[in-house]
Amino acid sequence: MYVIGFLEGACAHVLDLARDGIHAYAAFPQVPLQVFFVGLVILDPLVVVLVVLVRREGIWLASAVMVADVFANWWGNRHWLQDDPANLVRLSPVTLFGVFVVAFAHPLCWTIAGTAGRPRAALPTA
């Protein structure tokens, strides 16, 4: 699920940049948010590569990216949420995926990635 979600995010950000260029996120008045969303073009695929390689760093990076992404989306869109709370539906997918990523980060690190690179026990010989 991590790979699918981050690939979808990477594709969305690449398409935004292809369509509108470096100013794709000019609707956000805060320059740090604009820079962050453009930076997701690099961060999202990096997460995918690290998760596919079953690296613990990929799982933690995924969590950090999603916490920042959810915060940036809520902060950057707070004005229209105050105007019409029904717009909350637009932030639901990124928020739910962020909760999913963070909720499963610790279990994944210690069950899947925690065993990566460890030699398997030798089979008993007869």
Side-chain angles (χ1 to χ4, degrees):
M1 292 302 292
Y2 275 43
V3 172
I4 293 168
F6 281 94
L7 280 176
E8 188 276 331
C11 289
H13 293 290
V14 166
L15 289 174
D16 288 345
L17 287 175
R19 183 182 57 240
D20 299 321
I22 196 75
H23 301 291
Y25 301 103
F28 293 101
Q30 305 89 352
V31 173
L33 293 183
Q34 295 174 24
V35 171
F36 173 73
F37 288 122
V38 170
L40 287 175
V41 170
I42 295 168
L43 289 173
D44 284 349
L46 179 59
V47 167
V48 170
V49 169
L50 291 172
V51 168
V52 166
L53 294 174
V54 193
R55 299 294 307 251
R56 195 175 280 163
E57 297 86 355
I59 296 167
W60 292 122
L61 180 61
S63 295
V65 166
M66 286 312 302
V67 166
D69 196 358
V70 169
F71 174 78
N73 272 290
W74 278 83
W75 182 258
N77 293 303
R78 70 190 183 288
H79 61 280
W80 57 258
L81 284 174
Q82 292 170 347
D83 295 342
D84 184 9
N87 286 319
L88 179 64
V89 173
R90 291 176 35 186
L91 290 179
S92 296
V94 71
T95 303
L96 292 174
F97 183 65
V99 169
F100 171 80
V101 167
V102 171
F104 283 94
H106 192 271
L108 279 174
C109 276
W110 296 111
T111 58
I112 297 172
T115 60
R118 284 193 213 155
R120 293 182 182 208
L123 295 173
T125 56

